[in-house]
Amino acid sequence: MNEALAADLRAALAPDRVRTNATELGLYGRDASNIEGSTAVVCFPLTTSEVQAAVRAAHRHGVAFVARGAGTGLAGGAIPLDHALVIATTKMNRVLSVDPVNRMAWVEPGVLNLDLTRQVAHLGLHFAPDPSSQQSCSIGGNVANNSGGPHCLSDGVTASHVLGLEVVLSDGSVVQFGGEAPEEDGLDLRGAFVGSEGMFGIATKVLVRLTQNAPTVKTMLMDFSSVEAGAQTVSAIIAAGMVPAALEMMDQLCVQAVEAYIHAGLPLDAAAVLLVEVAGLPAGVAADTERIVEIGRLHGAGAVRIAKDEAERALLWKGRKTAFGAIARIKPNYYLHDTVVPRRMLPEVLRQVYEIAERHQLLVMNVFHAGDGNLHPLLVFDKREPGVMERVHAAGEEIVRASVAAGGVLSGEHGIGLEKRDFMPMMFAPADLAAQAAMRRGFDPSGLANPFKVLPSAAACGDVQHVPDGAWV
Amino acid sequence: MRRRAARTGWGVGVIDLDAFAAEVGAEGPVTITGVGSRGGAVPGVRTVQAPSGIQWVQPDEMIVCCGAGTPVDELVAVLAEHHQTAALPCGGTVGGALSLGQADLRRLGYGPVRDVLLQARYVSAAGEVVKAGGPTVKNVSGFDLCRLLVGSRGALGFLGEVILRTRPVAQCSQWFHREAGEPFEVFTQLHRPVSVLWDGTGVWALLEGHPDDVSAQAREASLAAVDGPPPLPGGSRRSIAPASIATIPGRFVAEVGVGTVHHAEPWVPPRRSQRVLDLALALKHEFDPLGRLNPGIDV
Ligand SMILES: Cc1cc2nc3c(=O)[nH]c(=O)nc-3n(C[C@H](O)[C@H](O)[C@H](O)COP(=O)(O)OP(=O)(O)OC[C@H]3O[C@@H](n4cnc5c(N)ncnc54)[C@H](O)[C@@H]3O)c2cc1C
């Protein structure tokens, strides 16, 4: 707790939107990762100028500040370290304006991803990035993590859907990056801000691009007797020059867990299933569907189930989107990984993932964005088992190493945060990290915006790094 | 200390950039040029050129790796053999297209140039080879330095080798025209057109996809097939809110849904706010403290 800071904030915001009781400080010291931080004060601004006032107060007191959306981040990005001020955007949750013709909307950062799509549904539009957490994550968090989702295969991740931003910088000034005009003069600061994990400032308004709903959608499920055959089908579809709207894969253990949960008639004996969605105009969708089924059959697909109607389509997607809930019934705890490998390396890396899990005596399930090579190995365990956390972390690190060694990257959508900060040298040389540190200094010379994340200590130029007790990074 | 040439192999850069880095060096003003089609070198300054040549094409990953000095037309021709293409404007070099960051008429459907660059290996002001981004289409490992480089006009570093995202070539691609048309009416009638243009009276549209869908869309919007887009006035390339294209005076061709306007008259772009200019200068200073890279180019 920091009484002086809290008093300043109470004067600038309404007193009831500045919280200092121990329970709330504890709550806001966590996100959806396993890491726990320490909060000085939590505040809930309503407007840009309140965010500005909060940032200025943090600045005056020399206290770090952390922007927080819904706290669903999995890499510890929203964890306050060293008694930082948490600036929660939950109450900035209005859609400010919608241009249905040019398909864009200004929204506040606390608007929830799915709420935005719901609010523009009557216009035949949606916000394309659809993380599995879309019911609860915020647009501000999506921007900061450059989040993705199943339908980002054809439409691109958040960065392709952010046209402009209003940002409060760490010195309290308010700036606009990008906007309705497509080509701003000078550096693309909007582009650089997306994915900056709260370390370049706080987004207070976001101009998002909205996407036309497809007139025709076909969703199909194909089952395979081996994970390899499923993965090869994925590569073959892309190699044939098609980019489906979504191309998701689930392995047997995951299918079994999901089926027990939702009873969708999923094939329990298949080693892997592919969920493929094709969207667009009718002739193209029909032709692509036919070719995809043919490619699947060539690779040994057994049954091919094409959703007959919207209800069946929703059911198939429910299977994919509730996978995490289903898994909770097997073991109480899970650790979700996120790496990307070249598609053609999927069979080999998946083989290694199973081998790594087995060696560490862990159960692993795979449910992932196969179309863009984005693996999500899910380690399930019971943390009451002695020594299990060590095994979970050792296995996790090996999975990340195997992915990078296969020509992949550290993270496809969850970000680096604290979780993978110290893995950055697996992918980047010191000069590469120095360039990223230079970006950070350019945006935030004070270093007060969400410090200690993303950049490993050497790149952060002599900052003392505090990783909280019990954190496992 | 310069980094050694990257390992060869999967998704990793392959060009040995040491010679290019040595040429850029660590001292004195230096400028880079491609084939000079987009403004070229800063006059009176020692000039370097990026390596060229396509290293590999991987259509099943939708990526290509090439030297930044590779002509865009060569890249497009080689990609076409694999039924792929890249969303870069034709003419000039890949490095030039990325450094300027201006899309061609297909931006509405293909997206901006900034979405094309997945990984860059560039030479920094210190003469070091630096890697930004990664080789996969999806990647959030660290800050998005690639997006800062696109459109930075060589002021932060000189691109040496790039990995670009490609896209399959459409089965059918056809320009259409309608003599008199209200731009937004046609625009909203079409499903994800690749381009819609308006010159104050007529509307042009580029439609791609399955031939039956393309002709059905054209019929519904009363569009007739034509050879190509109209000639673009060359006075200025303006960037405005797409909602305001309906009220532009003068002779122009506007990109509907995008906001790029090709106008007959010159134009002065609006000034960015002082704080944004300061931020851009701070970034320039971080990357090139002595201001030796492409001196005089504004960030
Ligand atoms: C079950 C589950 C499934 C998930 N599935 C996916 C998925 O499919 N794809 C995917 O990409 N992610 C997924 N995630 C991760 C997470 O939901 C996303 O990263 C999401 O975008 C985070 O949003 P949030 O509002 O919860 O952000 P938070 O967790 O609150 O914050 C995340 C980061 O954003 C910063 N931040 C938040 N708001 C702002 C702002 N206004 N300005 C600047 N910085 C800000 C924070 O400082 C922090 O660094 C999943 C998480 C869970 C728990």
Side-chain angles (χ1 to χ4, degrees):
Chain A
M1 230 275 270
N2 182 332
E3 203 33 76
L5 173 63
D8 254 19
L9 288 165
R10 282 194 196 99
L13 282 64
D16 65 327
R17 288 188 280 106
V18 179
R19 321 288 292 182
T20 53
N21 74 65
T23 317
E24 275 171 306
L25 295 187
L27 206 60
Y28 286 90
R30 313 206 49 149
D31 61 4
S33 72
N34 293 347
I35 309 165
E36 205 175 325
S38 63
T39 319
V41 183
V42 188
C43 67
F44 299 87
L46 293 178
T47 59
T48 301
S49 46
E50 287 191 356
V51 172
Q52 186 178 33
V55 167
R56 285 193 171 139
H59 217 269
R60 267 196 310 279
H61 291 267
V63 171
F65 62 90
V66 180
R68 181 188 174 96
T72 68
L74 290 161
I79 300 289
L81 297 175
D82 256 2
H83 303 282
L85 165 66
V86 172
I87 301 177
T89 62
T90 13
K91 292 187 195 296
M92 298 174 74
N93 59 359
R94 291 173 305 158
V95 172
L96 299 169
S97 63
V98 178
D99 175 349
V101 174
N102 294 290
R103 304 184 185 113
M104 44 179 85
W106 276 106
V107 305
E108 290 183 330
V111 171
L112 300 184
N113 177 300
L114 193 58
D115 285 351
L116 171 57
T117 283
R118 285 196 178 125
Q119 290 197 40
V120 297
H122 67 285
L123 301 167
L125 301 172
H126 66 284
F127 181 55
D130 60 339
S132 306
S133 51
Q134 70 182 144
Q135 296 202 13
S136 37
C137 64
S138 72
I139 300 293
N142 294 169
V143 168
N145 283 354
N146 193 9
S147 300
H151 290 90
C152 293
L153 176 59
S154 59
D155 287 335
V157 294
T158 302
S160 302
H161 303 276
V162 174
L163 302 172
L165 292 160
E166 180 191 82
V167 170
V168 175
L169 296 169
S170 72
D171 64 358
S173 45
V174 180
V175 287
Q176 185 178 321
F177 300 150
E180 287 92 346
E183 283 169 356
E184 202 183 30
D185 227 29
L187 297 178
D188 180 13
L189 302 175
R190 172 213 59 86
F193 188 90
V194 178
S196 62
E197 301 202 26
M199 296 174 72
F200 291 0
I202 301 187
T204 44
K205 287 189 185 105
V206 186
L207 179 66
V208 296
R209 193 158 79 89
L210 300 169
T211 301
Q212 269 176 300
N213 296 345
T216 315
V217 180
K218 273 265 182 287
T219 307
M220 63 200 119
L221 198 73
M222 292 195 256
D223 59 66
F224 294 89
S225 57
S226 74
V227 169
E228 288 75 18
Q232 281 156 4
T233 304
V234 171
S235 279
I237 291 171
I238 304 286
M242 288 179 283
V243 186
L247 190 36
E248 301 280 308
M249 186 156 151
M250 271 194 255
D251 68 3
Q252 186 165 25
L253 221 46
C254 186
V255 169
Q256 290 174 348
V258 167
E259 180 57 20
Y261 193 54
I262 63 158
H263 311 293
L266 301 178
L268 295 172
D269 51 348
V273 303
L274 278 186
L275 179 65
V276 190
E277 188 158 278
V278 188
L281 293 163
V285 169
D288 282 1
T289 306
E290 199 174 305
R291 279 170 78 207
I292 288 169
V293 171
E294 200 176 299
I295 290 171
R297 291 250 154 82
L298 271 175
H299 288 84
V304 176
R305 174 173 169 189
I306 301 181
K308 290 180 300 296
D309 49 27
E310 185 51 36
E312 190 174 2
R313 170 177 180 256
L315 189 64
L316 295 181
W317 272 110
K318 190 175 171 204
R320 167 63 182 90
K321 294 211 170 177
T322 55
F324 301 121
I327 281 151
R329 290 159 51 117
I330 299 180
K331 296 257 184 184
N333 305 103
Y334 69 73
Y335 194 112
L336 178 59
H337 279 277
D338 164 48
T339 65
V340 186
V341 300
R343 281 178 207 96
R344 62 173 77 164
M345 297 300 283
L346 279 173
E348 167 58 19
V349 178
L350 281 167
R351 194 192 54 70
Q352 290 184 45
V353 167
Y354 290 120
E355 186 273 319
I356 291 166
E358 193 176 320
R359 198 155 28 75
H360 290 280
Q361 299 162 320
L362 293 165
L363 212 53
V364 67
M365 300 184 180
N366 287 284
V367 43
F368 63 99
H369 313 306
D372 32 33
N374 190 180
L375 286 172
H376 279 332
L378 186 71
L379 300 169
V380 287
F381 56 94
D382 182 343
K383 73 174 178 202
R384 292 164 300 189
E385 233 179 82
V388 72
M389 285 319 291
E390 284 73 20
R391 286 186 279 125
V392 167
H393 293 143
E397 176 163 351
E398 283 180 43
I399 289 170
V400 176
R401 277 189 197 285
S403 303
V404 175
V409 299
L410 298 170
S411 173
E413 50 184 31
H414 296 171
I416 299 298
L418 285 170
E419 183 195 26
K420 287 182 174 154
R421 182 191 71 186
D422 296 337
F423 294 167
M424 286 284 276
M426 280 187 209
M427 211 180 130
F428 296 109
D432 310 340
L433 291 170
Q436 296 198 26
M439 257 176 106
R440 149 88 159 156
R441 280 195 306 274
F443 277 90
D444 176 19
S446 76
L448 288 178
N450 204 10
F452 313 126
K453 314 285 167 70
V454 181
L455 300 168
S457 14
C461 283
D463 281 346
V464 187
Q465 302 273 315
H466 294 270
V467 173
D469 286 343
W472 44 265
V473 280
Chain B
M1 185 186 62
R2 202 178 308 131
R3 234 179 113 202
R4 284 191 52 77
R7 292 159 291 149
T8 44
W10 228 125
V12 190
V14 284
I15 301 180
D16 183 344
L17 292 179
D18 284 2
F20 178 48
E23 213 189 327
V24 174
E27 277 165 41
V30 56
T31 182
I32 188 163
T33 182
V35 292
S37 69
R38 296 186 169 87
V42 174
V45 175
R46 184 168 64 86
T47 304
V48 296
Q49 283 194 308
S52 70
I54 294 163
Q55 304 304 306
W56 42 255
V57 182
Q58 289 166 355
D60 55 340
E61 303 293 339
M62 297 197 293
I63 52 178
V64 60
C65 176
C66 68
T70 309
V72 174
D73 296 352
E74 179 186 328
L75 177 78
V76 170
V78 170
L79 286 176
E81 293 168 17
H82 301 269
H83 307 290
Q84 296 280 311
T85 191
L88 292 179
C90 59
T93 63
V94 169
L98 292 170
S99 297
L100 215 62
Q102 292 181 343
D104 65 15
L105 294 178
R106 300 168 302 175
R107 168 161 174 163
L108 181 65
Y110 285 15
V113 170
R114 60 181 182 245
D115 287 358
V116 172
L117 181 63
L118 300 175
Q119 175 179 302
R121 287 168 63 238
Y122 67 91
V123 177
S124 71
E128 280 185 316
V129 177
V130 178
K131 182 181 83 173
T136 54
V137 286
K138 207 165 173 187
N139 174 26
V140 292
S141 311
F143 303 136
D144 200 344
L145 181 48
C146 282
R147 280 200 167 69
L148 195 61
L149 291 170
V150 175
S152 67
R153 305 208 288 157
L156 304 181
F158 290 172
L159 296 175
E161 176 201 77
V162 293
I163 296 178
L164 308 175
R165 164 189 214 130
T166 65
R167 50 184 297 130
V169 173
Q171 204 185 342
C172 164
S173 176
Q174 179 67 50
W175 278 98
F176 294 90
H177 178 52
R178 189 160 118 186
E179 294 277 334
E182 200 275 312
F184 295 118
E185 183 199 330
V186 176
F187 179 64
T188 46
Q189 265 175 324
L190 299 169
H191 179 68
R192 303 210 189 177
V194 176
S195 186
V196 178
L197 306 176
W198 183 60
D199 68 354
T201 42
V203 178
W204 286 258
L206 174 61
L207 303 181
E208 291 192 342
H210 191 283
D212 294 351
D213 291 331
V214 168
S215 41
Q217 288 261 296
R219 244 189 338 268
E220 273 164 41
S222 313
L223 293 163
V226 286
D227 287 343
L232 303 178
S236 61
R237 180 189 174 97
R238 308 181 179 186
S239 174
I240 63 172
S244 53
I245 61 160
T247 55
I248 325 161
R251 194 163 66 79
F252 66 89
V253 173
E255 298 182 27
V256 184
V258 174
T260 301
V261 179
H262 308 268
H263 205 283
E265 305 297 322
W267 186 60
V268 183
R271 230 178 105 80
R272 287 169 296 163
S273 78
Q274 192 56 44
R275 186 64 186 90
V276 168
L277 286 171
D278 290 346
L279 178 45
L281 286 174
L283 284 163
K284 166 73 175 173
H285 185 76
E286 286 289 345
F287 280 82
D288 180 16
L290 302 175
R292 60 181 296 260
L293 302 180
N294 274 358
I297 294 285
D298 288 337
V299 291

